[in-house]
Amino acid sequence: MFARSKRFAFACAVGLAAASSLASCGGGSGNAGAGNVELVTLLTSSVPDGTTGVAYTAQFVADFPHPAGRFLITGGALPPGLELDNQTGLLTGYPRQTGVFTFEIGARDGSDSNLPPNRDANLAEDRGNFRLVIAL
Protein backbone atom coordinates (compact mmCIF):
# COMPACT_ATOMS: atom_id res chain seq x y z
CA MET A 1 0.00 0.00 0.00
CA PHE A 2 2.85 2.37 0.84
CA ALA A 3 4.55 1.79 -2.52
CA ARG A 4 1.31 2.48 -4.34
CA SER A 5 0.69 5.81 -2.59
CA LYS A 6 4.35 6.76 -3.10
CA ARG A 7 3.97 6.09 -6.84
CA PHE A 8 0.76 8.15 -6.89
CA ALA A 9 2.48 11.04 -5.12
CA PHE A 10 5.34 10.91 -7.63
CA ALA A 11 2.91 10.87 -10.58
CA CYS A 12 1.04 13.83 -9.12
CA ALA A 13 4.27 15.75 -8.58
CA VAL A 14 5.37 15.06 -12.16
CA GLY A 15 1.92 15.99 -13.47
CA LEU A 16 1.91 19.24 -11.51
CA ALA A 17 5.43 20.08 -12.67
CA ALA A 18 4.42 19.44 -16.28
CA ALA A 19 1.25 21.52 -15.91
CA SER A 20 3.25 24.31 -14.32
CA SER A 21 5.80 24.12 -17.12
CA LEU A 22 3.09 24.20 -19.78
CA ALA A 23 1.39 27.16 -18.16
CA SER A 24 4.57 29.20 -18.23
CA CYS A 25 5.62 28.38 -21.82
CA GLY A 26 2.86 30.24 -23.61
CA GLY A 27 4.41 33.68 -23.38
CA GLY A 28 1.44 34.94 -21.41
CA SER A 29 3.31 38.03 -20.28
CA GLY A 30 3.66 39.31 -23.86
CA ASN A 31 1.80 42.23 -25.36
CA ALA A 32 -1.30 41.02 -27.17
CA GLY A 33 -1.30 42.25 -30.73
CA ALA A 34 2.31 43.37 -30.68
CA GLY A 35 2.96 41.57 -33.94
CA ASN A 36 5.54 39.08 -35.11
CA VAL A 37 8.69 41.03 -35.84
CA GLU A 38 10.54 37.94 -37.06
CA LEU A 39 8.85 38.06 -40.46
CA VAL A 40 8.14 41.72 -41.20
CA THR A 41 10.59 44.55 -40.66
CA LEU A 42 9.50 48.19 -40.56
CA LEU A 43 12.58 49.94 -41.93
CA THR A 44 11.51 53.55 -41.34
CA SER A 45 12.63 54.78 -37.92
CA SER A 46 11.70 58.49 -38.01
CA VAL A 47 9.79 61.08 -40.03
CA PRO A 48 10.72 64.68 -40.84
CA ASP A 49 9.08 67.60 -39.07
CA GLY A 50 6.54 69.70 -40.93
CA THR A 51 5.00 73.17 -41.15
CA THR A 52 1.34 74.13 -41.13
CA GLY A 53 -0.06 74.88 -44.58
CA VAL A 54 3.01 73.47 -46.38
CA ALA A 55 2.78 70.22 -48.35
CA TYR A 56 4.11 67.30 -46.31
CA THR A 57 5.42 63.95 -47.54
CA ALA A 58 7.06 61.08 -45.70
CA GLN A 59 7.54 57.50 -46.89
CA PHE A 60 7.22 54.46 -44.64
CA VAL A 61 9.19 51.46 -45.88
CA ALA A 62 8.98 47.84 -44.74
CA ASP A 63 10.32 44.47 -45.79
CA PHE A 64 7.33 42.18 -46.42
CA PRO A 65 8.01 38.47 -46.99
CA HIS A 66 4.58 38.11 -48.67
CA PRO A 67 3.71 41.21 -50.70
CA ALA A 68 1.58 43.14 -50.81
CA GLY A 69 1.84 44.29 -47.25
CA ARG A 70 -0.16 47.11 -45.68
CA PHE A 71 0.59 50.08 -43.46
CA LEU A 72 -1.79 50.89 -40.62
CA ILE A 73 -2.09 53.47 -37.87
CA THR A 74 -2.10 51.21 -34.82
CA GLY A 75 -1.89 53.85 -32.11
CA GLY A 76 -2.02 57.59 -31.49
CA ALA A 77 -3.16 59.98 -34.21
CA LEU A 78 -1.72 61.72 -37.25
CA PRO A 79 -1.72 65.51 -37.35
CA PRO A 80 -4.96 66.89 -38.81
CA GLY A 81 -4.59 67.26 -42.56
CA LEU A 82 -2.27 64.26 -43.07
CA GLU A 83 -3.29 60.87 -44.42
CA LEU A 84 -1.52 57.53 -44.67
CA ASP A 85 -1.89 55.50 -47.87
CA ASN A 86 -2.29 51.96 -46.53
CA GLN A 87 -0.95 50.37 -49.71
CA THR A 88 2.12 52.50 -50.41
CA GLY A 89 3.07 53.74 -46.93
CA LEU A 90 3.08 57.34 -48.17
CA LEU A 91 2.12 59.97 -45.58
CA THR A 92 0.94 63.14 -47.32
CA GLY A 93 -1.18 66.23 -46.92
CA TYR A 94 -1.16 69.77 -45.57
CA PRO A 95 -0.81 69.91 -41.77
CA ARG A 96 -3.49 72.16 -40.27
CA GLN A 97 -2.47 72.22 -36.61
CA THR A 98 0.77 72.91 -34.76
CA GLY A 99 2.02 70.58 -32.04
CA VAL A 100 3.84 67.39 -31.29
CA PHE A 101 2.04 64.30 -32.57
CA THR A 102 2.92 60.76 -31.59
CA PHE A 103 1.58 57.73 -33.38
CA GLU A 104 2.35 54.10 -34.05
CA ILE A 105 2.57 52.61 -37.53
CA GLY A 106 2.12 48.89 -38.14
CA ALA A 107 3.53 47.17 -41.21
CA ARG A 108 1.39 44.06 -41.78
CA ASP A 109 2.47 41.23 -44.04
CA GLY A 110 0.45 40.13 -47.04
CA SER A 111 -1.12 36.70 -47.43
CA ASP A 112 1.07 33.65 -47.80
CA SER A 113 -0.08 31.93 -51.00
CA ASN A 114 1.39 28.64 -49.72
CA LEU A 115 -1.25 28.36 -46.98
CA PRO A 116 -4.12 25.97 -47.59
CA PRO A 117 -7.42 27.56 -48.73
CA ASN A 118 -9.80 28.79 -46.00
CA ARG A 119 -7.04 28.81 -43.39
CA ASP A 120 -7.26 31.54 -40.78
CA ALA A 121 -3.78 33.00 -41.16
CA ASN A 122 -2.20 35.19 -38.51
CA LEU A 123 -0.41 37.87 -40.46
CA ALA A 124 2.98 38.98 -39.19
CA GLU A 125 3.35 42.62 -38.22
CA ASP A 126 6.09 44.97 -37.05
CA ARG A 127 5.34 48.30 -35.38
CA GLY A 128 7.18 51.52 -34.80
CA ASN A 129 6.50 54.63 -32.72
CA PHE A 130 6.90 58.01 -34.38
CA ARG A 131 7.05 61.63 -33.25
CA LEU A 132 6.12 64.38 -35.71
CA VAL A 133 6.50 68.07 -34.85
CA ILE A 134 4.36 70.49 -36.83
CA ALA A 135 5.46 74.14 -36.52
CA LEU A 136 3.99 77.43 -37.75
Side-chain angles (χ1 to χ4, degrees), residues 36-94:
N36 182 348
V37 296
E38 294 177 348
L39 298 177
V40 175
T41 305
L42 180 61
L43 301 171
T44 304
S45 60
S46 65
V47 292
D49 293 341
T51 305
T52 55
V54 176
Y56 182 88
T57 302
Q59 179 69 57
F60 291 96
V61 178
D63 181 20
F64 297 109
H66 307 102
R70 294 181 23 176
F71 295 90
L72 308 163
I73 300 165
T74 53
L78 296 175
L82 296 186
E83 291 184 3
L84 176 67
D85 183 313
N86 293 349
Q87 303 301 316
T88 65
L90 195 60
L91 179 63
T92 59
Y94 291 85

Side-chain angles (χ1 to χ4, degrees), residues 9 24-25 110 122 130 132:
S24 65
C25 292
N122 292 321
F130 296 90
L132 174 51

